Amino acid sequence: MATDTPQRLLDAALDVFAEQGYQAATIQQIVKRAGTNIAAVNYHFRDKANFYAEVIVYGCEKDSSAPPDFMQDNLQPEQQLLAFIQWFLQRGLKIGKESLLDQIHMQELANPSPVLDKVVEKLIRPVHLQLRDIVAALLPENCAEETLRFHCFSVIGQCNLYKIGKPIMTRLYPDIELDEQAMQRLVQHIYSVSLAGIRAEHAQS
Amino acid sequence: MATDTPQRLLDAALDVFAEQGYQAATIQQIVKRAGTNIAAVNYHFRDKANFYAEVIVYGCEKDSSAPPDFMQDNLQPEQQLLAFIQWFLQRGLKIGKESLLDQIHMQELANPSPVLDKVVEKLIRPVHLQLRDIVAALLPENCAEETLRFHCFSVIGQCNLYKIGKPIMTRLYPDIELDEQAMQRLVQHIYSVSLAGIRAEHAQS
Amino acid sequence: MATDTPQRLLDAALDVFAEQGYQAATIQQIVKRAGTNIAAVNYHFRDKANFYAEVIVYGCEKDSSAPPDFMQDNLQPEQQLLAFIQWFLQRGLKIGKESLLDQIHMQELANPSPVLDKVVEKLIRPVHLQLRDIVAALLPENCAEETLRFHCFSVIGQCNLYKIGKPIMTRLYPDIELDEQAMQRLVQHIYSVSLAGIRAEHAQS
Amino acid sequence: MATDTPQRLLDAALDVFAEQGYQAATIQQIVKRAGTNIAAVNYHFRDKANFYAEVIVYGCEKDSSAPPDFMQDNLQPEQQLLAFIQWFLQRGLKIGKESLLDQIHMQELANPSPVLDKVVEKLIRPVHLQLRDIVAALLPENCAEETLRFHCFSVIGQCNLYKIGKPIMTRLYPDIELDEQAMQRLVQHIYSVSLAGIRAEHAQS
DNA sequence: AATGAATGAGCCTTCATTCAT
DNA sequence: GATGAATGAAGGCTCATTCAT
């Protein structure tokens, strides 16, 4: 009947695993959402663990929000940094297929599984290296490796909090709401702080 | 025979819940570690959900790393900020009982439960308010509420990444190792970036 | 503190066993209603089975609705029969302590336990023997033993249906309601049918 | 391997539920008797409550002793009444699959469950309506509704006692034994009493 | 290739009972 | 004498997996 059962299973599983995490997600939920039966999972994907791994790979490949090549545009490093922050923040805060992988990151951070290796290599490292290049261009030459890493992590840390810390933020400030304009101000803020931090590095050296 | 069964149950549960999260943790594991039997949990704590809630409360109360009162010391706001960052970072990176709560935070962020409300009120908000006061003293007067929040979250975001992002960092940079000296450099770094960001706010206004 | 714990346990247990039956009733429910603790039951009554047995005995002894001595009054047998029917019906349809034993009868009929022997001897046989005497006085002399029994059971069967069959009656006829006047008409009806049946025995012989 | 697992489960459950009632019956007992395992029940019937409901429905449908259509035969109403009593009594006193439903009735009367609604509609009301027609034909025209009900219940009450009161009867009269001939005399007795009662109604009006 | 049926393991919970005080 | 604490047994249910078709 359905020709693309594996496909539908992958899509459904991406949702469910993102929402519930590996342990809490049940095959029942997934197959119900995919409109097929339990045995199909074991038939197409052997077992739950392997299914999860293939779901991650599938999610990574299908990830449409791959980072633009910030270097390609002939922008000043400052503007590249701004563009990066904007892209990175908006990717995680959209509510859609694009943020499923972020939710899975979250789950993996809480309960790391062997799959995390793949995710880091396929998704995180490429992004990180781009940011690294941008920041490196802004820092003094011959800057220490550690300093470079620190600044990268400062940028990422500031952005990340708005992705993973949402449950806490809404409890700290129930009136919070990140509409489009507030988001733009936030991007500017993180950009401003990060750049100020980087520039301070020049003064110190 | 064995005294203090509830106590031992709480301690064991704190470990297990921190490691595995609420869903994945099983009462079996906990009672085995506590050296008692399953029925003891239901006798002392009614059911798993209530048990978890009481474990969190217990963990909060027992949390020895309550924040010092940074305001009490007659320090300059700058030094208060430095002290805060130092305390906040070190609390989360210690490998001991003190970080169990942070692991549970992590689990709650991935899969929020009703308990998160309590955690925010008991643990997070007090700390956050202290940081808020410190940052407010450094920002220009009549600074927008949003700006204040953004700067607080920048501080926290930078620190937090080193707590929750560890699994990713070690994969990105397998050679990383935060010894005591590196930690001090990290504290200085976050302090420097944050302060530069705050000072930039003065220039803009 | 409480001096009459066993007493309160018996009262509470009478309620609970009547409502739920032996199997479904739990010691928890009983001790909560009695305001004491679980161990008290095992302490005072050894175990659940024995507790149940003692509850029945207690219930029988305390049963205030012991049948009046219908023979004592110098009534015609016909009037004795009428009085019996009236007493028997009203005893079972009252909603109060007096009907608890009837509920327990019900439970015992569905799932007989060794206790049923006691109930029959202490409560049922005395009543039955009185009815037997009344009916015997109305039947032709030298009437067969079986005939006598049949007529007794006809009287009891008609009455009993209104005690045990209530759940079915209210479903068959949702508008049914046995107020005081309807009850009087019912008594008259059963009396009339029973007497007509008995008189028919005379015609046949 | 084994075919017809649901069928075997239903049959086994009918026995066990009849013997023990819903609460006391355990799935273990049922699946052991059916030669399968616990999970099979949850697979085929979701949970115990739904299983019980389906067992009742199954029992009703399989009930081979559905009442004959007493009106169809061109019998006098008196003979219809006699036939009804005979059928109703014998159905309940057989010791076989046919009486399982009666045992379940018993259990439901002691501890009613939502299933009782279905049983009344599917099994009891049709039978009751047939009796109602028969009795109505024997009573004076324009007889009060209440009177009609009373006479129906007198017939049923007399019969029913021999089904549900057996544990008590055998204790009151240990020598009792309802062989085929005694059964015929009992049918005649109830018929005679009921008819005499109905005829008395004519005299009164 | 694909699936309905079946199952063993494990989980949370309840319960009656026992024990130590 | 009386009770809070503790426990073994069992119950219902869920889940991932396997099997026969």
Side-chain angles (χ1 to χ4, degrees):
Chain A
M1 185 203 304
T3 58
D4 52 355
T5 298
Q7 177 69 26
R8 293 207 322 284
L9 277 173
L10 288 170
D11 282 319
L14 202 53
D15 287 357
V16 176
F17 281 133
E19 272 176 32
Q20 327 239 52
Y22 175 74
Q23 289 267 13
T26 72
I27 297 188
Q28 274 288 6
Q29 294 176 293
I30 296 172
V31 297
K32 191 189 288 180
R33 198 179 292 212
T36 178
N37 59 1
I38 291 192
V41 169
N42 298 86
Y43 177 71
H44 290 288
F45 302 100
R46 196 170 70 242
D47 58 17
K48 191 186 182 184
N50 183 64
F51 184 32
Y52 181 64
E54 296 207 22
V55 166
I56 302 298
V57 171
Y58 166 74
C60 293
E61 285 169 357
K62 136 182 192 188
D63 184 13
S64 61
S65 64
D69 188 342
F70 298 102
M71 319 302 279
Q72 212 168 16
D73 315 329
N74 279 349
L75 297 174
Q76 294 297 97
E78 283 86 356
Q79 286 170 311
Q80 290 178 3
L81 179 61
L82 184 64
F84 180 92
I85 292 170
Q86 172 133 16
W87 171 81
F88 193 75
L89 258 182
Q90 285 191 328
R91 193 185 69 127
L93 295 181
K94 267 186 199 144
I95 302 178
K97 292 281 172 189
E98 290 87 11
S99 75
L100 289 180
L101 279 175
D102 282 324
Q103 290 184 52
I104 292 188
H105 291 182
M106 194 66 227
Q107 302 287 356
E108 282 291 329
L109 286 177
N111 305 94
S113 83
V115 169
L116 186 52
D117 289 329
K118 272 186 205 144
V119 176
V120 167
E121 295 313 318
K122 287 215 164 190
L123 284 186
I124 297 181
R125 190 182 299 282
V127 172
H128 183 77
L129 288 182
Q130 283 213 55
L131 174 61
R132 212 181 128 100
D133 287 342
I134 295 172
V135 172
L138 290 166
L139 279 171
E141 293 199 17
N142 297 334
C143 178
E145 163 72 11
E146 190 189 62
T147 305
L148 175 55
R149 291 181 187 175
F150 279 173
H151 280 283
C152 289
F153 288 145
S154 280
V155 174
I156 294 172
Q158 290 180 79
C159 296
N160 238 15
L161 189 68
Y162 292 85
K163 298 205 275 188
I164 68 175
K166 220 182 298 179
I168 290 181
M169 279 190 195
T170 58
R171 280 167 177 78
L172 276 180
Y173 299 113
D175 64 335
I176 222 170
E177 197 180 350
L178 273 184
D179 55 16
E180 189 57 34
Q181 298 183 351
M183 176 73 80
Q184 284 312 319
R185 293 195 297 273
L186 176 57
V187 170
Q188 276 296 333
H189 165 83
I190 296 179
Y191 168 67
S192 158
V193 170
S194 302
L195 199 59
I198 290 172
R199 297 237 162 103
E201 208 70 51
H202 284 271
Q204 271 181 329
S205 64
Chain B
M1 184 203 298
T3 63
D4 260 352
T5 298
Q7 179 68 29
R8 295 205 323 283
L9 278 173
L10 287 171
D11 282 321
L14 203 53
D15 288 356
V16 176
F17 280 133
E19 271 176 32
Q20 325 237 40
Y22 175 74
Q23 290 263 19
T26 74
I27 297 189
Q28 278 288 6
Q29 293 175 293
I30 296 172
V31 297
K32 190 187 295 179
R33 198 180 294 210
T36 177
N37 58 46
I38 289 188
V41 169
N42 297 93
Y43 175 72
H44 289 288
F45 302 100
R46 200 171 63 244
D47 56 19
K48 191 186 182 185
N50 184 63
F51 185 31
Y52 181 62
E54 295 206 24
V55 166
I56 302 298
V57 172
Y58 166 74
C60 293
E61 286 170 356
K62 146 182 187 186
D63 183 13
S64 61
S65 62
D69 188 344
F70 298 103
M71 320 301 281
Q72 214 170 17
D73 315 329
N74 279 350
L75 297 174
Q76 293 297 97
E78 284 84 356
Q79 286 171 309
Q80 290 177 5
L81 180 61
L82 184 64
F84 180 92
I85 292 170
Q86 171 133 21
W87 169 81
F88 193 75
L89 259 182
Q90 286 192 327
R91 191 184 74 126
L93 294 182
K94 268 181 197 148
I95 303 180
K97 291 281 172 190
E98 290 89 8
S99 76
L100 288 179
L101 278 175
D102 283 324
Q103 290 185 53
I104 291 188
H105 289 185
M106 196 64 226
Q107 302 287 354
E108 284 289 331
L109 285 177
N111 305 93
S113 85
V115 169
L116 186 51
D117 289 327
K118 270 190 206 141
V119 175
V120 168
E121 295 312 317
K122 285 214 166 192
L123 284 187
I124 297 181
R125 191 183 297 281
V127 170
H128 183 78
L129 289 182
Q130 284 214 55
L131 174 61
R132 217 181 123 99
D133 288 342
I134 295 172
V135 171
L138 289 167
L139 278 172
E141 293 198 17
N142 297 336
C143 178
E145 162 73 12
E146 192 187 64
T147 305
L148 175 55
R149 290 182 188 174
F150 279 173
H151 280 283
C152 290
F153 287 145
S154 280
V155 174
I156 294 172
Q158 289 179 81
C159 296
N160 237 16
L161 189 68
Y162 293 85
K163 298 206 273 189
I164 67 176
K166 219 182 298 180
I168 289 181
M169 279 190 195
T170 58
R171 281 168 176 81
L172 277 179
Y173 299 113
D175 63 334
I176 223 170
E177 198 180 351
L178 274 184
D179 57 15
E180 189 56 35
Q181 298 183 351
M183 176 74 79
Q184 284 313 317
R185 292 194 298 273
L186 175 57
V187 170
Q188 277 296 333
H189 165 83
I190 295 178
Y191 168 68
S192 157
V193 170
S194 302
L195 199 58
I198 290 172
R199 295 239 163 101
E201 209 71 49
H202 285 269
Q204 273 180 328
S205 67
Chain C
M1 183 207 304
T3 58
D4 52 355
T5 298
Q7 177 70 25
R8 292 207 323 284
L9 278 173
L10 289 170
D11 281 320
L14 202 53
D15 287 357
V16 176
F17 281 133
E19 272 177 30
Q20 327 238 48
Y22 175 73
Q23 290 266 15
T26 73
I27 296 189
Q28 274 289 5
Q29 293 175 293
I30 295 173
V31 297
K32 189 189 291 182
R33 198 179 292 211
T36 179
N37 59 1
I38 290 191
V41 168
N42 297 88
Y43 177 70
H44 288 288
F45 302 100
R46 199 172 68 242
D47 59 16
K48 191 185 181 184
N50 183 63
F51 185 31
Y52 180 65
E54 297 206 24
V55 166
I56 301 299
V57 172
Y58 166 74
C60 293
E61 284 168 357
K62 140 183 191 187
D63 183 12
S64 61
S65 63
D69 188 344
F70 299 102
M71 319 303 279
Q72 213 169 14
D73 318 327
N74 278 351
L75 296 173
Q76 294 296 97
E78 282 86 356
Q79 284 170 313
Q80 289 177 6
L81 179 62
L82 184 65
F84 180 91
I85 292 171
Q86 171 134 19
W87 170 82
F88 192 75
L89 258 183
Q90 285 191 328
R91 192 185 70 126
L93 294 181
K94 265 184 201 147
I95 302 179
K97 292 280 171 189
E98 290 89 9
S99 76
L100 288 180
L101 280 174
D102 282 325
Q103 290 184 51
I104 292 189
H105 290 179
M106 194 66 227
Q107 301 287 357
E108 283 290 331
L109 285 177
N111 306 94
S113 84
V115 169
L116 187 52
D117 290 329
K118 272 187 204 141
V119 175
V120 168
E121 294 313 317
K122 286 215 166 192
L123 285 187
I124 297 180
R125 190 182 299 281
V127 172
H128 183 77
L129 289 182
Q130 282 213 58
L131 174 61
R132 212 180 129 100
D133 287 342
I134 295 172
V135 171
L138 289 166
L139 280 171
E141 292 196 18
N142 297 335
C143 178
E145 162 72 11
E146 190 188 64
T147 305
L148 174 55
R149 290 181 188 176
F150 279 173
H151 279 283
C152 289
F153 287 144
S154 279
V155 173
I156 293 173
Q158 289 180 80
C159 295
N160 238 14
L161 189 68
Y162 292 85
K163 298 206 275 190
I164 67 175
K166 220 183 297 179
I168 289 182
M169 277 190 196
T170 59
R171 281 167 176 79
L172 276 180
Y173 299 112
D175 63 335
I176 223 169
E177 198 180 348
L178 273 185
D179 57 15
E180 188 58 33
Q181 297 181 351
M183 175 75 79
Q184 284 312 318
R185 293 194 296 274
L186 175 57
V187 170
Q188 276 296 333
H189 165 82
I190 297 180
Y191 169 69
S192 157
V193 170
S194 302
L195 199 60
I198 290 172
R199 294 238 165 101
E201 207 70 52
H202 286 270
Q204 270 181 331
S205 66
Chain D
M1 184 203 298
T3 62
D4 259 353
T5 299
Q7 178 69 29
R8 293 205 323 283
L9 279 173
L10 287 170
D11 282 322
L14 203 53
D15 286 357
V16 176
F17 280 133
E19 270 176 34
Q20 326 237 38
Y22 175 73
Q23 289 264 17
T26 73
I27 296 189
Q28 279 287 5
Q29 294 175 294
I30 296 172
V31 298
K32 190 186 295 180
R33 197 179 294 211
T36 177
N37 59 46
I38 289 188
V41 169
N42 298 92
Y43 175 72
H44 289 287
F45 302 101
R46 200 172 62 244
D47 57 20
K48 191 185 182 186
N50 185 64
F51 185 30
Y52 182 62
E54 296 207 24
V55 166
I56 301 299
V57 172
Y58 167 73
C60 292
E61 286 171 355
K62 145 182 187 188
D63 184 13
S64 60
S65 62
D69 188 343
F70 299 103
M71 320 301 280
Q72 213 170 14
D73 315 331
N74 280 350
L75 297 174
Q76 293 296 97
E78 283 84 356
Q79 284 170 312
Q80 289 177 5
L81 179 61
L82 183 65
F84 180 92
I85 292 170
Q86 172 131 21
W87 169 81
F88 192 74
L89 258 183
Q90 286 191 328
R91 192 184 72 127
L93 295 182
K94 266 182 199 148
I95 303 179
K97 292 279 171 190
E98 289 89 9
S99 76
L100 287 180
L101 278 175
D102 284 323
Q103 289 185 55
I104 291 187
H105 288 185
M106 196 64 225
Q107 301 287 356
E108 283 289 330
L109 286 176
N111 305 93
S113 85
V115 169
L116 187 51
D117 288 328
K118 269 189 207 141
V119 175
V120 168
E121 294 313 317
K122 284 213 167 194
L123 284 187
I124 297 181
R125 190 183 299 279
V127 171
H128 182 78
L129 288 181
Q130 283 215 56
L131 173 61
R132 214 181 126 99
D133 287 341
I134 296 172
V135 171
L138 290 167
L139 279 171
E141 294 198 16
N142 297 336
C143 177
E145 163 73 13
E146 191 188 63
T147 305
L148 175 55
R149 292 182 187 175
F150 280 172
H151 280 285
C152 289
F153 288 144
S154 280
V155 174
I156 295 172
Q158 289 179 80
C159 296
N160 238 15
L161 188 68
Y162 292 86
K163 299 205 273 190
I164 69 177
K166 218 182 299 178
I168 290 182
M169 280 190 194
T170 57
R171 282 168 176 79
L172 277 179
Y173 300 113
D175 64 333
I176 221 169
E177 197 180 350
L178 273 184
D179 56 14
E180 188 55 36
Q181 297 182 351
M183 175 73 80
Q184 284 314 318
R185 291 193 298 272
L186 174 58
V187 169
Q188 276 297 332
H189 163 81
I190 295 180
Y191 168 68
S192 156
V193 169
S194 302
L195 198 60
I198 290 172
R199 296 241 162 97
E201 208 69 51
H202 284 270
Q204 271 181 328
S205 66

